[in-house]
Amino acid sequence: MARVKMVDANKGPEVEGVVLTPEQKRRQRARSVAIATVLGALCVLFYIVTVVKLGPAVLIRPL
């Protein structure tokens, strides 16, 4: 990671930042996709467990 000084019009004259290499950006994106996939799978799992625990009778009810 290389530290560079960038000009930001909103914060003042110079702000220190980090510039990622293409390899680091690729790994960061892959990590983000993996986390999103696991989070989505966990949500689906919780939904399925909730429906199973409530039982099939929850689907047969008057509206």
Side-chain angles (χ1 to χ4, degrees), residues 29-45:
R29 176 155 175 81
R31 198 168 34 249
S32 296
V33 168
I35 291 171
T37 302
V38 169
L39 183 60
L42 191 60
C43 290
V44 169
L45 177 67

Side-chain angles (χ1 to χ4, degrees), residues 17-28:
V18 177
V19 176
L20 299 176
T21 65
E23 175 66 18
Q24 289 172 326
K25 287 181 184 178
R26 185 188 65 77
R27 286 182 182 212
Q28 185 178 32

